[in-house]
Amino acid sequence: QKEVEQNSGPLSVPEGAIASLNCTYSDRGSQSFFWYRQYSGKSPELIMSIYSNGDKEDGRFTAQLNKASQYVSLLIRDSQPSDSATYLCAVTGRRSGGYNKLIFGAGTRLAVHP
Amino acid sequence: ETGVTQSPTHLIKTRGQQVTLRCSSQSGHNTVSWYQQALGQGPQFIFQYYREEENGRGNFPPRFSGLQFPNYSSELNVNALELDDSALYLCASSLARAGEKLFFGSGTQLSVL
């Protein structure tokens, strides 16, 4: 079982629609959850962080966390062609030795078509 | 822009050679982490440096080594390059040893032939 799992996609949505990206993780001790956006050939860019159960909204983005189900999602409202990218879910492992690391999923490729 | 800079942007090496990649952290950030991202995969944690000492390491062999300097810049060294080392190498800086928000540099694309 992978530590962080995402559907590789591509997820294709029409412009203006809501894109829903999902992620599950295996370590119940995980404490922090992140969504990164990565354009082709570029480095990951942090777009959302969430630490407690529920929803967190930032502009067109909403992150949702359910620790009991070990599930985190990202909703993108009013999707634009410029949102077309790979979205990486990242989870911190249990803190040990005074450091933590991000564990990434393989990413979901989103394609927003006009 | 994250303020994290990496050099070079692209590099081509042959199997068995050694390579050094460089990273300058965002101002004020004292922790640097290195990640390897193979094509079609998510980034994989290599190691983290805090105040010039390695304080965390992923599942990478000893031929992957690093340094952090007093100005918090960092190097990643890879010896005895293998074809599977071809990847995007990402440097990320953060505010504290256990800081969680990582800000990535633009990466170094390494090709091993």
Side-chain angles (χ1 to χ4, degrees):
Chain A
Q1 180 189 10
K2 291 183 180 178
E3 293 179 277
V4 179
E5 296 209 51
Q6 296 180 254
N7 188 321
S8 62
L11 173 65
S12 182
V13 300
E15 184 175 356
I18 296 175
S20 178
L21 304 161
N22 305 314
C23 171
T24 58
Y25 59 95
S26 61
D27 186 353
R28 285 194 172 274
S30 298
Q31 300 177 357
S32 306
F33 307 85
F34 304 90
W35 284 98
Y36 283 81
R37 176 177 63 198
Q38 187 172 28
Y39 293 112
S40 181
K42 302 296 184 183
S43 63
E45 173 193 7
L46 178 65
I47 55 173
M48 288 291 288
S49 59
I50 187 165
Y51 305 99
S52 55
N53 282 329
D55 294 1
K56 179 181 178 182
E57 186 175 318
D58 184 0
R60 295 187 297 113
F61 299 102
T62 298
Q64 299 174 317
L65 175 62
N66 183 327
K67 290 186 178 180
S69 300
Q70 296 173 245
Y71 177 91
V72 58
S73 66
L74 179 70
L75 300 178
I76 306 175
R77 289 181 299 282
D78 188 23
S79 295
Q80 301 297 310
S82 58
D83 294 326
S84 298
T86 296
Y87 289 80
L88 298 164
C89 173
V91 172
T92 54
R94 293 173 188 264
R95 292 193 181 186
S96 62
Y99 80 99
N100 55 37
K101 64 180 182 182
L102 287 185
I103 303 167
F104 284 84
T108 298
R109 190 156 56 92
L110 172 66
V112 181
H113 53 87
Chain B
E1 294 295 325
T2 63
V4 180
T5 59
Q6 292 186 244
S7 63
T9 54
H10 295 85
L11 204 50
I12 299 174
K13 291 286 189 178
T14 55
R15 194 171 53 181
Q17 285 189 312
Q18 179 266 342
V19 68
T20 297
L21 310 181
R22 294 180 174 83
C23 172
S24 294
S25 300
Q26 184 172 341
S27 178
H29 285 187
N30 56 16
T31 303
V32 64
S33 304
W34 286 90
Y35 286 77
Q36 179 197 65
Q37 186 176 23
L39 191 63
Q41 301 298 316
Q44 299 263 325
F45 176 74
I46 303 175
F47 44 54
Q48 180 182 89
Y49 277 81
Y50 172 71
R51 292 187 175 178
E52 303 175 55
E53 290 191 3
E54 182 183 297
N55 77 322
R57 189 176 184 93
N59 189 25
F60 280 81
R63 61 190 184 84
F64 285 78
S65 63
L67 284 172
Q68 187 183 31
F69 301 101
N71 65 354
Y72 303 136
S73 65
S74 176
E75 287 182 355
L76 164 65
N77 299 290
V78 187
N79 294 322
L81 283 167
E82 300 178 0
L83 298 180
D84 285 350
D85 295 333
S86 295
L88 178 67
Y89 288 84
L90 296 161
C91 168
S93 71
S94 53
L95 270 173
R97 186 172 59 177
E100 294 158 341
K101 288 190 175 179
L102 296 185
F103 300 92
F104 286 97
S106 56
T108 294
Q109 185 65 54
L110 173 64
S111 298
V112 182
L113 307 179

